[in-house]
Structures are given as C-alpha cells and as structure tokens.
Amino acid sequence: MSVIVLAEHQQGSFKKKSFEAIQYAAGIAQAMGTSVTAVVLGNATDSEMQQLGQYGAAKVLHVADARLDNLNARAYTKALAAAAEKEGAKVVVGLHDVTGKAVFPRVAARLKAGMVAGAVAQPELSNGFVVKKTVFSGKAFASVSITSDVKVVRLMPNTFAVKKGEGSTTVEKLDVAFEDKDFAVQVK
C-alpha cells in the first residue's frame, strides 16, 4: 500500500508544481504510515527522476513511452491506474491543473474512487479522510469527506512551499500494454 502521485515534467525536466505534489503526497503517506510512489510518464533521465527522492518519493515508476511526452488523457489514465493497482494505492494525488482536470476524473472512475478537486490542506485523518478545498472561485472553503476505499486528491498548485530534503529514491520500469486507440486523441 502506498500513495501514488503523478510527477509531471516538460521534456524530462520536473517543475516546482511536481515537487509540491510529491511533498503533499509525502505528508499524506506519513500520516497513513506508508510511502510515496511517483509515476513518471514519457521520456525522463534517471538523474532527473532521482531528484524526486529529495521531495519525498520513496520509489519512482517510470512508463518510458515517447508517446506519453504529450498529454493524452486516455493513455495517462491507463498508466496511472496500472501504477495504482501495482502498488495497491489507497490514495492517488495529482494537481488541479490542465493535466489533472483531464486525467484524474478518469482515474477516479477507473479505480472506483472518491475524488476531491482543489485541495488546499493536508487531509484530516482523525475522523475519516476529510480534505479542505476551495469553493466559490476561492472565496470560501469546504471540508469534504471521502469514504471510498481508494481516494483521489487534486492539489491546488502553489498552495505549499517546496522544501528540498535529503531523501533518495529507486527507479523501476513499469510496463503498460498500450493499444493504438489509447493514443487516438493527442493534445499538443
């Protein structure tokens, strides 16, 4: 059992928002007594992926398929669902950005998971799994309880400060059996 997080990158270089998502997932994992597995889709170097450990990822699952270098909601969903099933993930974390809005509702449906979009605080685990999120264009907040076995949380970018740590990670290859129809639609 682990917490899965999508580590988005541009041409192999990870952005601040990915480090923020990994740190957010690490906070959840620590509270749950488990670890974080980052999922990297497309081409990225081992040295770039190794730095994810400094932000809290204990393991990186790399789906090395060049067709994943550009956003494809169907293929990303298939890869993330495969990673979640492989790791036995109870929580899947992504960002509340273009990729997150296109991919994570599909992931939640595939995993039969409850989802909260726009999280701005770590979940409260003392009374279930309660996530604070923005509502009314950020003018108010709501606390949402997710009661499903698997939970999907989309973090609002730029909510937390990013702090580089001392951790390390292992990188494993994840093979996903893609079909041509998984790449029928491309966003460039």
Side-chain angles (χ1 to χ4, degrees):
M1 179 178 87
S2 70
V3 176
I4 296 285
V5 59
L6 175 61
E8 296 179 41
H9 64 88
Q10 292 243 242
Q11 298 164 348
S13 178
F14 294 96
K15 302 287 184 182
K16 175 186 166 259
K17 65 182 183 177
S18 291
F19 301 140
E20 181 181 12
I22 292 168
Q23 283 185 334
Y24 180 79
I28 295 171
Q30 183 178 15
M32 294 176 68
T34 187
S35 61
V36 174
T37 300
V39 179
V40 176
L41 306 175
N43 292 321
T45 64
D46 277 352
S47 62
E48 286 288 329
M49 290 185 286
Q50 286 293 330
Q51 71 176 328
L52 300 179
Q54 297 172 336
Y55 298 94
K59 184 192 322 186
V60 174
L61 292 177
H62 184 208
V63 183
D65 188 322
R67 297 176 293 179
L68 296 170
D69 286 343
N70 294 316
L71 173 61
N72 183 299
R74 179 183 252 172
Y76 275 37
T77 299
K78 193 172 196 176
L80 282 168
E85 289 166 5
K86 178 183 188 297
E87 294 294 307
K90 294 296 180 190
V91 180
V92 180
V93 175
L95 290 163
H96 190 60
D97 62 359
V98 172
T99 301
K101 290 174 184 177
V103 174
F104 285 92
R106 291 171 173 248
V107 171
R110 185 166 288 191
L111 298 176
K112 295 179 176 41
M115 184 179 81
V116 171
V120 294
Q122 287 287 341
E124 177 59 47
L125 302 179
S126 64
N127 193 18
F129 194 95
V130 181
V131 181
K132 182 179 178 183
K133 66 170 269 156
T134 59
V135 292
F136 302 116
S137 301
K139 293 178 177 70
F141 299 99
S143 294
V144 180
S145 177
I146 305 176
T147 58
S148 60
D149 188 40
V150 178
K151 294 129 177 83
V152 175
V153 180
R154 289 186 359 226
L155 173 67
M156 187 67 75
N158 298 315
T159 301
F160 297 99
V162 175
K163 298 177 189 117
K164 192 173 185 177
E166 298 290 323
S168 63
T169 190
T170 59
V171 177
E172 292 180 18
K173 185 176 179 184
L174 176 64
D175 291 317
V176 178
F178 292 113
E179 300 172 33
D180 288 339
K181 70 179 182 179
D182 293 328
F183 296 94
V185 177
Q186 285 274 327
V187 177
K188 294 185 180 189

